Amino acid sequence: MGTKQVDLPVGGMTCAACSSRVEKGLKKIEGVSEVNVNLATGKARVEYEPERTGALAFMDAICNMGYEVKAEKVILPIGGMNCAACSSRVERTLNKLDGVLQAHVNLATEKATIDYFPNRTGVSDFEKAISTIGFFVKEEEKELGKEREEKEDEDVKKVKEARNRLITAWAFTGPMTILMLVMWFKHIHFLHLYHQWIMFFLATPVVFWAGHKTNKSALKGMLHLNPTMDALIFLGVFASYSIAIASFFITIPSFAMPAAMIMAFHLIGRYLETMARGRASQAIKKLLKLEAKSARILVEGKEVEVPIEKVKVGDVMIVRPGEKIPTDGVVVDGMSSVDESMATGESMPVEKREGSEVIGATLNQQGLLNIKATKIGKDTFLSQVIKMVEECQGTKVPIQQFADRITYFFVPTIMGIALVTFAAWLIFPTFFVGIANWTQHYLPWVNPSLGLIALALFASITVLVIACPCALGLATPTALMVGSGMGAEKGILIRRGEAI
């Protein structure tokens, strides 16, 4: 029985516990033979038996775990359909394509709506499949189901969002720190009188506004009975914040400042992490920028400029001096020299004449060339290079598998230790308060007079917060991304992560 492979872009993963959970959930599906989930790239690579399962089952499983699968949608007007049997045949053909999540064909509107993963397939593949069964796509009415406007790079958006959350957090936490220092060194009646209220109101926007993404992620994981690293921060912050609320009604110290501080320091880590992931993923984007965006093709003896995705195998492209060759092909007329350094590393231009093969995205230097397209889309040399780099970035090395195994059990273990810590303080108060009294001589900010419950809560919160090792699950995949990406930029292609 043959197997197929699909890459699923998974959204909502924030730590190694998330990726480990997705991986284990997909492995439980009948017919799945192998799963690799990469936190840094946000992709799940699934090898499966198509006769027993498929991409829809994977998407449902991922969504049921509280995450999302990001797919693109395209709407194609189909010509030649006359009955329900026609639309059914087109639908079945499209659904069999690798990378198609689901396809629906409406006979009344004569349109096919296709959800697909763009890294596996595209519009040209849909057109080819439809034409092989006797139907066609109406070119003049083709409508993409997504905005064609240039959008800001997604990684840039994520970095900006993380930076804005960080600035917001410290805009309120900074004054709290200054206020605390002032009160340590100088007695100001007004500040002492309203200190509790000031701290509470400054902490509130940090906890609920700046930290809303962390809170949402943590709650989602806990509701699905699979707490993530964010859950440790969430529990620490909200335990502190709850004590701050309780301090207005009972005699207990306010922990408003620790709540804000925990979230603010956590957001520093999130910002640095987002920057690292964004920089690491730029390698693929740089390769994609090498592709030509349009091509001039001969249509009935006339030159017509079309978007690169409309170029078909067999089209004759006109490439003038100084222009990029749009896609892989063979020279049918003309003679020139082509700079192929981006593909082969050869610094000297290569002479091309009739019958010579050329590579897409290389630079024509001198003469006019008529080139017949032989490969398009994902079959081109550059697309294969990009695919190889992506596959390398998607592999897991043994140390990463080991880290993922640890992080899967890490969060519930830490929660258990925090509960044991709280209980231990209540069961053995003399022992632990004695340690606090001894520590006060070396760490003056430790206050043993807070009260037993306050000290027990403080110790439990400390366990939760200090044990959040997001880097444990992120460092290895990020190193793989950076290494393979920099290699690709310098012409060194690495097929498997184990090589690094």
Side-chain angles (χ1 to χ4, degrees):
M1 189 178 292
T3 61
K4 289 180 69 177
Q5 184 175 283
V6 64
D7 286 342
L8 306 173
V10 182
M13 295 191 298
T14 58
C15 65
C18 298
S19 60
S20 183
R21 180 169 181 244
V22 172
E23 189 168 296
K24 286 181 180 291
L26 290 173
K27 282 180 178 177
K28 292 178 182 177
I29 299 173
E30 189 177 354
V32 172
S33 55
E34 188 177 346
V35 181
N36 270 321
V37 180
N38 190 299
L39 174 64
T41 60
K43 289 180 182 178
R45 177 164 296 153
V46 187
E47 190 171 323
Y48 65 101
E49 297 170 10
E51 292 83 1
R52 302 173 65 189
T53 186
L56 273 176
F58 308 150
M59 186 182 76
D60 289 340
I62 290 169
C63 291
N64 289 335
M65 286 185 277
Y67 305 97
E68 60 179 352
V69 178
K70 298 177 181 178
E72 290 189 2
K73 179 177 288 186
V74 66
I75 301 172
L76 300 177
I78 312 298
M81 296 190 301
N82 301 308
C83 62
C86 297
S87 60
S88 179
R89 190 179 177 196
V90 173
E91 189 171 295
R92 284 199 305 271
T93 301
L94 290 171
N95 278 314
K96 288 179 182 177
L97 293 177
D98 183 26
V100 171
L101 180 59
Q102 60 181 350
H104 298 292
V105 179
N106 190 312
L107 178 63
T109 60
E110 293 188 324
K111 287 183 178 179
T113 303
I114 309 163
D115 294 305
Y116 68 102
F117 304 121
N119 60 324
R120 302 294 293 178
T121 189
V123 175
S124 60
D125 295 321
F126 306 149
E127 292 176 347
K128 184 178 179 181
I130 292 168
S131 65
T132 57
I133 56 173
F135 303 96
F136 62 93
V137 176
K138 301 175 184 177
E139 291 290 330
E140 70 278 5
E141 296 176 19
K142 189 185 300 182
E143 173 190 3
L144 288 179
K146 57 182 181 178
E147 295 292 334
R148 282 202 173 271
E149 298 176 4
E150 286 293 324
K151 292 185 177 181
E152 190 176 16
D153 188 285
E154 188 177 348
D155 289 321
V156 175
K157 281 185 176 181
K158 287 180 180 178
V159 171
K160 282 184 177 180
E161 185 184 340
R163 184 174 63 241
N164 290 339
R165 289 201 304 270
L166 177 62
I167 292 170
T168 301
W170 282 100
F172 292 94
T173 307
M176 294 176 75
T177 308
I178 295 169
L179 179 61
M180 181 189 70
L181 292 172
V182 169
M183 291 181 64
W184 267 5
F185 296 106
K186 192 172 183 179
H187 183 87
I188 300 175
H189 179 71
F190 174 81
L191 292 180
H192 279 271
L193 186 64
Y194 295 103
H195 168 261
Q196 193 174 350
W197 284 100
I198 294 170
M199 289 295 194
F200 179 77
F201 282 118
L202 286 173
T204 299
V206 180
V207 173
F208 292 100
W209 184 13
H212 79 278
K213 196 168 183 178
T214 299
N215 301 335
K216 183 180 177 182
S217 170
L219 284 169
K220 187 188 292 184
M222 289 192 291
L223 287 173
H224 287 86
L225 301 179
N226 192 77
T228 64
M229 299 290 184
D230 286 339
L232 300 179
I233 298 297
F234 173 82
L235 291 173
V237 168
F238 273 85
S240 302
Y241 191 79
S242 299
I243 294 169
I245 295 174
S247 68
F248 290 108
F249 306 100
I250 59 176
T251 305
I252 189 173
S254 173
F255 280 13
M257 184 170 180
M261 277 292 210
I262 291 166
M263 185 60 75
F265 276 107
H266 168 70
L267 291 175
I268 292 176
R270 274 282 181 259
Y271 174 61
L272 296 174
E273 174 187 310
T274 305
M275 283 184 64
R277 292 167 76 169
R279 287 174 181 171
S281 64
Q282 290 302 312
I284 296 294
K285 293 180 176 65
K286 287 178 180 177
L287 289 173
L288 288 170
K289 286 178 181 178
L290 296 175
E291 294 180 327
K293 300 293 183 280
S294 63
R296 272 189 297 274
I297 61 173
L298 282 176
V299 179
E300 297 178 354
K302 294 182 179 179
E303 290 185 24
V304 179
E305 187 166 347
V306 297
I308 191 64
E309 58 265 19
K310 287 192 176 183
V311 175
K312 299 175 183 177
V313 173
D315 284 346
V316 176
M317 305 173 291
I318 311 299
V319 184
R320 294 187 172 88
E323 294 181 341
K324 283 184 180 179
I325 295 173
T327 190
D328 295 3
V330 59
V331 177
V332 294
D333 188 29
M335 186 172 70
S336 182
S337 57
V338 176
D339 180 1
E340 294 185 340
S341 57
M342 58 77 61
T344 65
E346 173 57 62
S347 59
M348 295 295 291
V350 180
E351 188 176 307
K352 301 292 181 181
R353 58 182 71 230
E354 188 175 342
S356 299
E357 293 185 352
V358 292
I359 301 170
T362 55
L363 187 66
N364 180 28
Q365 290 199 327
Q366 295 176 346
L368 180 71
L369 292 176
N370 286 8
I371 300 169
K372 183 179 180 181
T374 56
K375 293 179 182 178
I376 58 173
K378 64 179 183 179
D379 296 323
T380 64
F381 174 84
L382 186 60
S383 294
Q384 292 301 309
V385 170
I386 293 169
K387 182 182 177 183
M388 187 181 294
V389 175
E390 286 180 330
E391 285 180 353
C392 176
Q393 293 179 343
T395 58
K396 279 192 177 180
V397 294
I399 186 64
Q400 187 181 346
Q401 294 171 348
F402 177 69
D404 287 353
R405 282 198 299 272
I406 293 173
T407 51
Y408 185 75
F409 299 103
F410 188 87
V411 176
T413 301
I414 292 301
M415 288 181 172
I417 293 173
L419 288 173
V420 170
T421 301
F422 182 78
W425 270 83
L426 299 182
I427 296 170
F428 307 106
T430 306
F431 175 74
F432 286 103
V433 172
I435 292 176
N437 285 322
W438 175 79
T439 308
Q440 190 180 23
H441 296 292
Y442 305 96
L443 305 174
W445 54 83
V446 176
N447 184 5
S449 63
L450 284 176
L452 184 59
I453 293 178
L455 287 170
L457 285 169
F458 204 89
S460 301
I461 292 167
T462 303
V463 171
L464 290 171
V465 174
I466 206 169
C468 188
C470 297
L472 184 65
L474 187 71
T476 303
T478 302
L480 284 173
M481 290 182 69
V482 173
S484 56
M486 290 181 68
E489 289 176 15
K490 298 181 183 301
I492 303 168
L493 303 182
I494 304 165
R495 187 183 296 276
R496 302 286 296 177
E498 287 89 337
I500 296 179

